[in-house]
Amino acid sequence: MTPVHVALRGVTRVFPASAAQREVKALGPIDLDLRTAEFFVVVGPSGCGKSTLLEIIAGLSTATAGTVTLEGKPVAGEVPEGIGVVFQEDASFPWLNVTDNIAFGLRQTALDKAEIGRRVEHALRLMGLTEFAAAYPVQLSGGMRQRVCLARTLVQKPRVILLDEPFGALDQQTRFLMGDELLRLWRESGATVMLITHSLDEAAMLADRIGVMSARPGRMLEIIETGWGEERGSRVVATPRFGEITARLWELLRDESQRAMTGAP
């Protein structure tokens, strides 16, 4: 049995009423285990609480009820050591070149300059950015800027990587190619990865398991095992199994997405 890396038990999130808005039950209750070194993908209709779930696991938001543990220790109130987060928005610093962007977080630590240099050089090679080491974000494509953001996270050597729609602004072909890169990085890092996405194709290609969420308040409707081997990549999109997975995802999400659009209970 694969060890559990992150565990959620009875997690809910309720946003209290304010002068401008009624109380919103955003999430839960959710029970979920992320297995050590797996690639777990979460899909669900817009507004179902996917990003809220990620923020709670990351320690960026606090659950209203329930518990979250990382390696058996409670997560609450701050990002714990060992977790790296990458969001959809381009978070590269425009005034820093690629090398300095990647090194930024490391320079706030006690690591010596030689170790920082080794890690950054390795990340540049790993992400195919070596020839752009001195370039600035404005000189890069959107996909390359996301590679810089991924590299900045990877040099910290996180044991858990949380990704919130990092390729959402890219076209489908580029997303598949970036997915291949992400799978390679996952294999090389040995980290546990959780990805939030709206793309059913992306989920079906990348995941070991896919968690399908309901409309708000988001709950886990079903967890689908893809059955892919570790060496998978974008070529799986041409297989019958890929079609079976995406068909099942849409079967689960069709009514939930309609409910999210209409606001029906």
Side-chain angles (χ1 to χ4, degrees), residues 170-180 205 234:
L170 306 180
D171 62 76
Q172 183 79 331
Q173 297 93 325
T174 305
R175 285 174 80 135
F176 279 144
L177 293 174
M178 289 298 292
D180 282 332
M205 169 187 156
S234 56

Side-chain angles (χ1 to χ4, degrees), residues 42-55 196-198 213:
V42 179
V43 297
S46 295
C48 73
K50 299 185 295 295
S51 293
T52 300
L53 174 65
L54 180 143
E55 289 168 5
I196 304 293
T197 184
H198 282 97
M213 289 181 67

Side-chain angles (χ1 to χ4, degrees), residues 213-234:
M213 289 181 67
S214 70
R216 190 175 67 230
R219 297 166 289 106
M220 283 294 168
L221 293 174
E222 187 172 316
I223 294 180
I224 297 171
E225 301 260 2
T226 63
W228 303 132
E230 190 177 276
E231 295 301 318
R232 62 185 173 275
S234 56

Side-chain angles (χ1 to χ4, degrees), residues 30-34 38-45 48 50 53 193-200 203-204 207-214 218-226 245 248-249 252-253:
I30 284 183
D31 294 326
L32 177 65
D33 289 335
L34 300 182
E38 80 167 327
F39 201 124
F40 190 88
V41 177
V42 179
V43 297
C48 73
K50 299 185 295 295
L53 174 65
V193 173
M194 188 178 91
L195 168 71
I196 304 293
T197 184
H198 282 97
S199 169
L200 305 189
D208 291 308
R209 296 189 301 151
I210 304 168
V212 183
M213 289 181 67
S214 70
R219 297 166 289 106
M220 283 294 168
L221 293 174
E222 187 172 316
I223 294 180
I224 297 171
E225 301 260 2
T226 63
I245 294 168
R248 178 57 181 159
L249 291 174
L252 288 165
L253 286 173

Side-chain angles (χ1 to χ4, degrees), residues 31-203:
D31 294 326
L32 177 65
D33 289 335
L34 300 182
R35 300 168 183 168
T36 299
E38 80 167 327
F39 201 124
F40 190 88
V41 177
V42 179
V43 297
S46 295
C48 73
K50 299 185 295 295
S51 293
T52 300
L53 174 65
L54 180 143
E55 289 168 5
I56 289 171
I57 294 172
L60 296 169
S61 181
T62 303
T64 304
T67 61
V68 182
T69 56
L70 167 67
E71 298 165 349
K73 299 176 182 177
V75 174
E78 60 182 19
V79 179
E81 186 274 328
I83 286 186
V85 187
V86 179
F87 293 102
Q88 179 177 350
E89 295 79 12
D90 176 10
S92 58
F93 302 122
W95 60 90
L96 298 178
N97 65 24
V98 168
T99 296
D100 290 336
N101 259 286
I102 295 171
F104 182 81
L106 292 180
R107 288 175 178 158
Q108 320 306 312
T109 70
L111 290 174
D112 61 46
K113 289 184 178 180
E115 175 61 18
I116 291 172
R118 281 192 292 270
R119 289 196 190 188
V120 171
E121 184 179 352
H122 177 69
L124 286 166
R125 287 199 308 271
L126 199 62
M127 301 303 295
L129 292 168
T130 301
E131 66 179 294
F132 301 97
Y136 286 83
V138 71
Q139 299 170 295
L140 306 176
S141 68
M144 291 176 73
R145 288 197 297 272
Q146 278 299 70
R147 281 197 241 169
V148 173
C149 295
L150 277 168
R152 192 169 63 210
T153 297
L154 290 170
V155 293
Q156 305 281 347
K157 297 188 176 180
R159 301 184 297 281
V160 177
I161 301 173
L162 305 175
L163 305 165
D164 192 356
E165 199 79 25
F167 310 135
L170 306 180
D171 62 76
Q172 183 79 331
Q173 297 93 325
T174 305
R175 285 174 80 135
F176 279 144
L177 293 174
M178 289 298 292
D180 282 332
E181 290 297 306
L182 186 55
L183 286 169
R184 180 174 60 84
L185 294 170
W186 164 65
R187 288 189 291 266
E188 292 190 15
S189 70
T192 301
V193 173
M194 188 178 91
L195 168 71
I196 304 293
T197 184
H198 282 97
S199 169
L200 305 189
D201 287 349
E202 193 169 67

